[in-house]
Amino acid sequence: MGRAGAGVLVAAALTRAGAAALRVTRPGGRRLWERTNFAGRTVGLHTGPAAAGATALVAAGAGPAAGLVVLAAGALGAYDDVAGAGDPRRGFRAHLSALCAGEVTSGAVKLFGISAAGLAAGAALRERPVDRVLAGAVIAGAAHFVNLVDVRPGRAAGTVLVLAAPRLWRGGPGERAASAAAGAALAVLPGDAAGRTMLGDTGAHALGAALGVAVAAGSGRAGLAAHAAAVVAAAVCGERVSTWARSLA
Protein backbone atom coordinates (compact mmCIF):
# COMPACT_ATOMS: atom_id res chain seq x y z
CA MET A 1 0.00 0.00 0.00
CA GLY A 2 2.81 2.41 0.86
CA ARG A 3 2.87 5.41 3.16
CA ALA A 4 0.70 7.53 0.88
CA GLY A 5 -2.05 4.93 0.73
CA ALA A 6 -1.91 4.43 4.48
CA GLY A 7 -2.15 8.17 5.06
CA VAL A 8 -5.19 8.42 2.79
CA LEU A 9 -6.95 5.58 4.60
CA VAL A 10 -6.18 6.94 8.07
CA ALA A 11 -7.34 10.46 7.17
CA ALA A 12 -10.52 9.10 5.59
CA ALA A 13 -11.30 6.90 8.60
CA LEU A 14 -10.68 9.72 11.08
CA THR A 15 -12.83 12.10 9.05
CA ARG A 16 -15.73 9.66 8.89
CA ALA A 17 -15.49 8.91 12.61
CA GLY A 18 -15.34 12.59 13.53
CA ALA A 19 -18.24 13.49 11.25
CA ALA A 20 -20.38 10.69 12.70
CA ALA A 21 -19.66 11.88 16.25
CA LEU A 22 -20.48 15.52 15.45
CA ARG A 23 -23.65 14.52 13.60
CA VAL A 24 -24.93 12.86 16.76
CA THR A 25 -23.69 15.26 19.45
CA ARG A 26 -24.01 18.64 17.66
CA PRO A 27 -22.22 20.62 20.38
CA GLY A 28 -23.66 24.10 20.70
CA GLY A 29 -27.02 23.15 19.27
CA ARG A 30 -28.55 22.14 15.97
CA ARG A 31 -28.59 25.62 14.40
CA LEU A 32 -24.81 25.87 14.67
CA TRP A 33 -24.38 22.79 12.47
CA GLU A 34 -26.86 23.51 9.69
CA ARG A 35 -26.80 25.85 6.71
CA THR A 36 -28.94 26.44 3.62
CA ASN A 37 -27.13 25.74 0.35
CA PHE A 38 -27.51 27.43 -3.04
CA ALA A 39 -30.56 25.27 -3.85
CA GLY A 40 -32.34 26.17 -0.61
CA ARG A 41 -31.63 22.77 0.91
CA THR A 42 -30.58 22.31 4.54
CA VAL A 43 -27.14 20.71 4.76
CA GLY A 44 -24.91 19.68 7.65
CA LEU A 45 -21.61 21.37 8.50
CA HIS A 46 -20.24 18.51 10.61
CA THR A 47 -17.93 17.21 7.87
CA GLY A 48 -15.89 20.46 7.83
CA PRO A 49 -14.49 20.28 11.37
CA ALA A 50 -14.09 16.52 11.07
CA ALA A 51 -12.06 16.89 7.87
CA ALA A 52 -9.99 19.72 9.36
CA GLY A 53 -9.12 17.77 12.49
CA ALA A 54 -8.27 14.57 10.62
CA THR A 55 -6.18 16.41 8.04
CA ALA A 56 -4.24 18.28 10.72
CA LEU A 57 -3.56 15.10 12.67
CA VAL A 58 -2.27 13.14 9.68
CA ALA A 59 -0.36 16.10 8.21
CA ALA A 60 1.42 16.55 11.55
CA GLY A 61 3.33 13.38 10.70
CA ALA A 62 5.36 15.59 8.35
CA GLY A 63 6.23 17.93 11.23
CA PRO A 64 4.48 20.07 13.85
CA ALA A 65 4.31 23.11 11.55
CA ALA A 66 2.32 21.18 8.96
CA GLY A 67 -0.29 20.06 11.46
CA LEU A 68 -0.51 23.44 13.17
CA VAL A 69 -1.06 25.48 10.01
CA VAL A 70 -3.84 23.13 8.86
CA LEU A 71 -5.42 23.39 12.30
CA ALA A 72 -5.11 27.19 12.28
CA ALA A 73 -6.66 27.45 8.82
CA GLY A 74 -9.55 25.25 9.94
CA ALA A 75 -10.05 27.22 13.17
CA LEU A 76 -10.09 30.56 11.36
CA GLY A 77 -12.47 29.10 8.80
CA ALA A 78 -14.72 27.92 11.65
CA TYR A 79 -14.72 31.43 13.08
CA ASP A 80 -15.90 32.78 9.72
CA ASP A 81 -18.50 30.01 9.40
CA VAL A 82 -20.04 31.15 12.68
CA ALA A 83 -19.37 34.90 12.86
CA GLY A 84 -19.81 35.48 9.13
CA ALA A 85 -22.95 33.38 8.65
CA GLY A 86 -25.27 35.25 6.32
CA ASP A 87 -22.59 37.65 5.05
CA PRO A 88 -22.77 37.46 1.23
CA ARG A 89 -19.33 39.02 0.68
CA ARG A 90 -16.74 36.65 -0.74
CA GLY A 91 -13.14 37.10 -1.80
CA PHE A 92 -10.37 39.20 -0.33
CA ARG A 93 -11.34 42.32 -2.31
CA ALA A 94 -14.73 42.54 -0.64
CA HIS A 95 -13.29 42.12 2.84
CA LEU A 96 -10.41 44.52 2.24
CA SER A 97 -12.88 47.10 0.92
CA ALA A 98 -14.91 46.72 4.11
CA LEU A 99 -11.73 47.06 6.16
CA CYS A 100 -10.83 50.28 4.35
CA ALA A 101 -14.31 51.55 5.25
CA GLY A 102 -13.64 50.81 8.92
CA GLU A 103 -15.44 47.46 9.21
CA VAL A 104 -13.47 44.45 10.42
CA THR A 105 -15.28 41.47 8.93
CA SER A 106 -14.82 37.86 9.97
CA GLY A 107 -13.50 37.29 6.46
CA ALA A 108 -10.76 39.88 7.02
CA VAL A 109 -9.77 38.22 10.30
CA LYS A 110 -9.60 34.91 8.47
CA LEU A 111 -7.60 36.38 5.58
CA PHE A 112 -4.89 37.94 7.75
CA GLY A 113 -4.86 35.07 10.22
CA ILE A 114 -4.33 32.40 7.58
CA SER A 115 -1.72 34.54 5.84
CA ALA A 116 0.22 34.87 9.10
CA ALA A 117 -0.10 31.15 9.83
CA GLY A 118 1.05 30.32 6.30
CA LEU A 119 4.13 32.51 6.61
CA ALA A 120 4.98 30.97 9.97
CA ALA A 121 4.65 27.48 8.52
CA GLY A 122 6.72 28.48 5.49
CA ALA A 123 9.46 29.71 7.79
CA ALA A 124 9.47 26.35 9.58
CA LEU A 125 9.41 24.26 6.41
CA ARG A 126 12.10 26.07 4.39
CA GLU A 127 15.54 27.46 5.18
CA ARG A 128 16.21 30.35 2.82
CA PRO A 129 14.29 33.64 3.31
CA VAL A 130 12.95 33.78 -0.26
CA ASP A 131 11.76 30.19 -0.09
CA ARG A 132 10.09 30.85 3.25
CA VAL A 133 8.07 33.73 1.85
CA LEU A 134 7.11 31.79 -1.27
CA ALA A 135 6.11 28.76 0.80
CA GLY A 136 3.97 30.93 3.07
CA ALA A 137 2.24 32.47 0.05
CA VAL A 138 1.57 29.02 -1.41
CA ILE A 139 0.07 27.67 1.81
CA ALA A 140 -2.19 30.67 2.44
CA GLY A 141 -3.09 30.96 -1.25
CA ALA A 142 -3.96 27.28 -1.58
CA ALA A 143 -6.25 27.53 1.45
CA HIS A 144 -8.00 30.49 -0.16
CA PHE A 145 -8.23 28.79 -3.55
CA VAL A 146 -10.05 25.71 -2.29
CA ASN A 147 -12.51 27.98 -0.51
CA LEU A 148 -13.09 29.90 -3.75
CA VAL A 149 -14.20 26.74 -5.58
CA ASP A 150 -16.42 25.58 -2.71
CA VAL A 151 -19.51 27.10 -4.34
CA ARG A 152 -21.41 23.98 -5.44
CA PRO A 153 -21.66 20.39 -4.18
CA GLY A 154 -18.51 18.35 -4.66
CA ARG A 155 -16.40 21.13 -6.17
CA ALA A 156 -13.94 21.63 -3.30
CA ALA A 157 -13.47 17.97 -2.38
CA GLY A 158 -13.08 17.00 -6.04
CA THR A 159 -10.55 19.77 -6.61
CA VAL A 160 -8.51 18.62 -3.61
CA LEU A 161 -8.39 15.06 -4.93
CA VAL A 162 -7.26 16.22 -8.37
CA LEU A 163 -4.56 18.52 -7.00
CA ALA A 164 -3.30 15.99 -4.44
CA ALA A 165 -2.93 13.15 -6.97
CA PRO A 166 0.36 14.28 -8.61
CA ARG A 167 2.04 14.75 -5.23
CA LEU A 168 0.89 11.30 -4.09
CA TRP A 169 2.16 9.78 -7.33
CA ARG A 170 5.61 11.38 -7.06
CA GLY A 171 6.01 10.85 -3.32
CA GLY A 172 8.67 12.76 -1.45
CA PRO A 173 8.53 15.33 1.36
CA GLY A 174 5.02 16.58 0.54
CA GLU A 175 3.46 13.14 0.41
CA ARG A 176 2.16 13.07 3.99
CA ALA A 177 0.27 16.38 3.74
CA ALA A 178 -1.15 15.44 0.34
CA SER A 179 -2.38 12.08 1.63
CA ALA A 180 -4.03 13.81 4.60
CA ALA A 181 -5.94 16.18 2.32
CA ALA A 182 -6.86 13.44 -0.16
CA GLY A 183 -8.12 11.06 2.52
CA ALA A 184 -10.35 13.68 4.14
CA ALA A 185 -11.66 14.81 0.74
CA LEU A 186 -12.41 11.23 -0.25
CA ALA A 187 -14.39 10.70 2.96
CA VAL A 188 -16.57 13.80 2.55
CA LEU A 189 -17.06 13.68 -1.22
CA PRO A 190 -20.16 11.39 -1.38
CA GLY A 191 -22.23 13.46 1.06
CA ASP A 192 -20.92 16.75 -0.30
CA ALA A 193 -21.59 15.87 -3.95
CA ALA A 194 -25.10 14.69 -3.05
CA GLY A 195 -25.86 17.99 -1.33
CA ARG A 196 -26.34 16.48 2.13
CA THR A 197 -23.30 18.10 3.73
CA MET A 198 -20.86 20.91 3.04
CA LEU A 199 -17.26 21.56 4.02
CA GLY A 200 -17.82 25.20 4.83
CA ASP A 201 -14.88 27.52 5.35
CA THR A 202 -13.62 25.22 8.11
CA GLY A 203 -13.01 22.22 5.89
CA ALA A 204 -12.18 24.08 2.68
CA HIS A 205 -9.42 26.17 4.22
CA ALA A 206 -7.93 23.26 6.15
CA LEU A 207 -7.78 21.00 3.09
CA GLY A 208 -6.35 23.82 0.98
CA ALA A 209 -3.68 24.56 3.56
CA ALA A 210 -2.65 20.89 3.54
CA LEU A 211 -2.27 21.02 -0.24
CA GLY A 212 -0.14 24.13 0.18
CA VAL A 213 2.04 22.37 2.73
CA ALA A 214 2.52 19.49 0.31
CA VAL A 215 3.80 21.90 -2.34
CA ALA A 216 5.87 23.94 0.11
CA ALA A 217 7.61 20.87 1.48
CA GLY A 218 8.22 19.11 -1.80
CA SER A 219 9.06 21.79 -4.38
CA GLY A 220 12.20 23.63 -5.43
CA ARG A 221 12.30 27.40 -5.72
CA ALA A 222 11.03 27.43 -9.31
CA GLY A 223 8.10 25.23 -8.32
CA LEU A 224 7.33 27.40 -5.31
CA ALA A 225 7.42 30.54 -7.44
CA ALA A 226 5.11 29.03 -10.07
CA HIS A 227 2.60 27.85 -7.48
CA ALA A 228 2.74 31.17 -5.63
CA ALA A 229 2.02 33.04 -8.85
CA ALA A 230 -0.88 30.72 -9.60
CA VAL A 231 -2.59 31.11 -6.23
CA VAL A 232 -2.07 34.88 -6.18
CA ALA A 233 -3.61 35.12 -9.66
CA ALA A 234 -6.54 32.99 -8.48
CA ALA A 235 -7.05 35.29 -5.51
CA VAL A 236 -6.99 38.40 -7.70
CA CYS A 237 -9.50 36.78 -10.07
CA GLY A 238 -11.48 35.22 -7.23
CA GLU A 239 -14.95 35.90 -8.62
CA ARG A 240 -13.99 34.42 -11.99
CA VAL A 241 -12.63 31.32 -10.27
CA SER A 242 -15.87 30.87 -8.33
CA THR A 243 -17.94 31.44 -11.47
CA TRP A 244 -15.88 28.81 -13.29
CA ALA A 245 -16.42 26.36 -10.44
CA ARG A 246 -20.18 26.96 -10.56
CA SER A 247 -20.23 26.25 -14.28
CA LEU A 248 -18.68 22.79 -13.99
CA ALA A 249 -21.11 19.98 -14.75
Side-chain angles (χ1 to χ4, degrees):
M1 180 188 300
R3 289 187 303 174
V8 169
L9 291 179
V10 170
L14 290 174
T15 300
R16 289 179 65 86
L22 290 173
R23 188 186 304 115
V24 173
T25 59
R26 293 182 180 180
R30 179 176 178 177
R31 292 181 61 185
L32 188 64
W33 297 94
E34 292 183 348
R35 291 292 185 274
T36 302
N37 70 2
F38 77 101
R41 184 176 180 178
T42 300
V43 296
L45 279 176
H46 50 276
T47 55
T55 304
L57 189 60
V58 175
L68 286 173
V69 73
V70 172
L71 196 62
L76 288 160
Y79 169 71
D80 196 27
D81 276 334
V82 175
D87 189 342
R89 289 171 292 193
R90 291 181 64 90
F92 79 96
R93 287 184 177 180
H95 295 294
L96 289 180
S97 295
L99 190 62
C100 289
E103 179 186 1
V104 180
T105 65
S106 60
V109 172
K110 179 185 66 177
L111 172 64
F112 287 107
I114 292 178
S115 297
L119 288 171
L125 291 169
R126 307 298 297 223
E127 295 183 358
R128 297 181 180 276
V130 173
D131 294 340
R132 288 175 169 179
V133 173
L134 289 173
V138 167
I139 294 169
H144 184 59
F145 174 76
V146 174
N147 190 54
L148 283 175
V149 300
D150 188 27
V151 290
R152 289 293 186 272
R155 302 301 195 271
T159 297
V160 169
L161 287 172
V162 170
L163 294 179
R167 190 65 54 180
L168 292 175
W169 180 261
R170 290 196 298 268
E175 181 182 69
R176 180 61 67 93
S179 67
L186 194 63
V188 304
L189 183 58
D192 193 274
R196 298 190 301 270
T197 62
M198 64 187 299
L199 280 167
D201 284 10
T202 309
H205 283 293
L207 294 181
L211 288 177
V213 168
V215 173
S219 300
R221 181 171 297 176
L224 282 176
H227 281 88
V231 294
V232 168
V236 172
C237 302
E239 188 54 43
R240 292 184 182 181
V241 172
S242 295
T243 298
W244 167 78
R246 290 187 190 97
S247 69
L248 295 175

